[in-house]
Amino acid sequence: MPELTTEYNPLDPATLDDPYRVYAELRAAGTPLWSERLDSWVLTSYDDCRQVLLDHERFAADWRRAGETVPEPALDVHTVDPPEHTAIYGVLAEALRDMTSPALAARVRAHVSDRLDALPPGPVDLITTFTEPLARWFIPEAVGLPHFDLTEIRPVAEAITRAMDSGLVPEAREPGVAAQRKLAALIDGWVAAMSPGEPIRDLVDRAGEAGVPHQLTMNSLRTLVVNGFTAVPASLGNALNALARLEAPPKELFDAPETLEKAPHEFFRYEAPIQGTTRLAVADTEFSGVPVRRGQGMLMLFAAANRDPAQFSDPDRLDFKRKANHHLSFGYGAHACTGSMLAHLLLRELLTVLAERGMEIRLTGPAVHKRLATVRTLAELPAEVVR
């Protein structure tokens, strides 16, 4: 069995600071590689990752199909497979398409402008003063939930986020499951207090009519709330960090509507907020020249696939006019993340405000990444907004 020739520890400080050198070394091996540390096959090529994402018959997002026990709070739209997955995914996707409206975009532009104007002059930490508060305002604003009481929601969301690394940090698993249960119950209470016709109440009612179990709907709504603490602030911080390192200002980079539409996807490709995810083999099989046994993991490193030169020309460079940018940052196929529509809208409107107002981001110190493997996100981004 081909094994890793490069020691791959996702939580190694040097890897957290710059994983792309390690990804390139892994990808150069040209085949799925077995990791004893991760107890999984590690996939770094675009074609391999995409193939596993599309093949839910052989590779399960629902680990029960591979013989694992999955606690009920962990079952949501991302962790069940067709046909159980089909109805809840359809209801969520339709609802989020409706929410991603010109009216929401206008509210976001106004709010972003206000938040930028409220920043003090001189250097600030853009993570704690701008991107994280913006993300936590945006999610409830977009989907029609009560605005977050951070004293209640923050520790719950942080426990769920830490549990995403439970394959590496097993002690994070049980607190994460307890937090998933607590957050789903909170959302259930919010929905019960809503009037018929409110967007989230309507979503829950339509899911019930489609035969979706109520708890699966609550668990799936939980993933939207958690996005306000994971993928959404991560994508904002990563984008601003990359933007500040470019020579041209936003007003020159994003000078046309079609460029603004493409730019968020290029930022998502360049620095994936979610580095990867794992599927389990449902039965013994062969994949890309290696034997895969039932229950073995297939760790798809989206961030590595997004920099695969076999799929993307000059992958280590930002190209806001890149064509056919089918990155994997939000998955692909049946389990593609429906929340990507909201993340795209938020980043697009932020870039629009920066370009229209002639603002620039200038770094005033080194960016610091959080010590998380699954979510690539910044703890600090010292910078100045030049008006």
Side-chain angles (χ1 to χ4, degrees):
M1 143 185 330
E3 296 186 1
L4 290 173
T5 55
T6 296
E7 179 61 22
Y8 176 51
N9 176 3
L11 289 174
D12 176 74
T15 300
L16 287 172
D17 289 339
D18 180 14
Y20 300 103
R21 173 189 57 81
V22 178
Y23 293 158
E25 292 176 3
L26 296 177
R27 193 171 50 242
T31 177
L33 299 173
W34 179 254
S35 169
E36 289 292 343
R37 179 193 299 275
L38 303 174
D39 193 30
S40 290
W41 292 97
V42 178
L43 281 58
T44 54
S45 81
Y46 182 91
D47 285 345
D48 281 351
C49 291
R50 182 177 180 273
Q51 184 177 342
V52 170
L53 285 170
L54 291 174
D55 191 349
H56 67 264
E57 294 294 335
R58 289 197 297 164
F59 303 110
D62 186 341
W63 290 12
R64 295 174 299 179
R65 296 174 54 217
E68 295 289 325
T69 299
V70 179
E72 185 275 336
L75 296 173
D76 58 50
V77 67
H78 300 303
T79 59
V80 296
D81 284 323
E84 186 179 7
H85 164 273
T86 305
I88 183 59
Y89 185 88
V91 170
L92 275 174
E94 182 181 0
L96 290 173
R97 276 194 298 269
D98 291 342
M99 294 171 185
T100 309
S101 64
L104 175 61
R107 296 201 304 276
V108 169
R109 284 195 300 275
H111 190 80
V112 166
S113 288
D114 290 344
R115 283 195 176 273
L116 289 170
D117 287 340
L119 291 175
V124 296
D125 175 14
L126 285 180
I127 302 304
T128 56
T129 63
F130 183 70
T131 58
E132 288 184 347
L134 175 58
R136 290 160 194 177
W137 166 85
F138 173 71
I139 290 296
E141 178 72 19
V143 304
L145 289 171
H147 282 272
F148 298 148
D149 176 352
L150 290 182
T151 60
E152 182 176 41
I153 301 298
R154 188 197 300 273
V156 176
E158 288 178 348
I160 294 171
T161 303
R162 288 191 295 271
M164 293 179 183
D165 290 345
S166 60
L168 294 161
V169 188
E171 61 270 23
R173 187 183 309 276
E174 286 305 317
V177 171
Q180 288 175 326
R181 181 181 292 108
K182 181 176 181 178
L183 184 52
L186 284 171
I187 296 171
D188 204 354
W190 296 341
V191 172
M194 292 176 181
S195 301
E198 293 188 50
I200 288 293
R201 172 68 182 272
D202 183 57
L203 183 160
V204 172
D205 290 344
R206 284 190 286 119
E209 292 167 1
V212 179
H214 181 76
Q215 196 57 53
L216 179 59
T217 302
M218 293 301 106
N219 291 350
S220 298
L221 289 177
R222 179 201 68 226
T223 68
L224 292 177
V225 173
V226 172
N227 272 338
F229 295 80
T230 53
V232 174
S235 63
L236 293 175
N238 293 344
L240 291 182
N241 185 32
L243 180 62
R245 298 171 188 277
L246 299 175
E247 294 182 0
K251 66 180 179 181
E252 294 180 12
L253 293 169
F254 312 121
D255 58 353
E258 57 268 26
T259 306
L260 278 164
E261 195 67 27
K262 290 181 177 181
H265 285 295
E266 180 64 352
F267 280 119
F268 298 150
R269 181 201 67 81
Y270 183 77
E271 192 85 272
I274 304 299
Q275 293 284 281
T277 194
T278 299
R279 299 284 190 264
L280 296 189
V282 174
D284 291 354
T285 188
E286 184 273 341
F287 180 82
S288 197
V290 301
V292 179
R293 302 305 177 204
R294 170 178 164 82
Q296 287 185 338
M298 307 294 282
L299 171 58
M300 299 163 288
L301 289 172
F302 299 153
N306 287 347
R307 300 269 189 119
D308 186 347
Q311 177 66 23
F312 301 100
S313 62
D314 202 3
D316 295 322
R317 182 178 69 88
L318 284 162
D319 178 1
F320 299 119
K321 297 183 180 180
R322 189 180 296 276
K323 296 180 180 178
N325 190 356
H326 301 303
H327 62 82
L328 302 181
S329 294
F330 295 99
Y332 206 87
H335 285 90
C337 179
T338 54
S340 64
M341 293 181 281
L342 294 176
H344 178 274
L345 182 148
L346 178 58
L347 183 51
R348 183 191 68 204
E349 299 311 316
L350 170 56
L351 298 175
T352 298
V353 171
L354 293 174
E356 289 182 349
R357 297 188 58 182
M359 292 179 163
E360 298 181 42
I361 308 296
R362 294 181 184 171
L363 298 179
T364 59
V368 178
H369 286 88
K370 292 184 179 180
R371 305 291 93 175
L372 297 169
T374 302
V375 184
R376 182 156 176 80
T377 189
L378 291 169
E380 300 175 20
L381 183 61
E384 181 179 8
V385 177
V386 181
R387 297 166 174 86

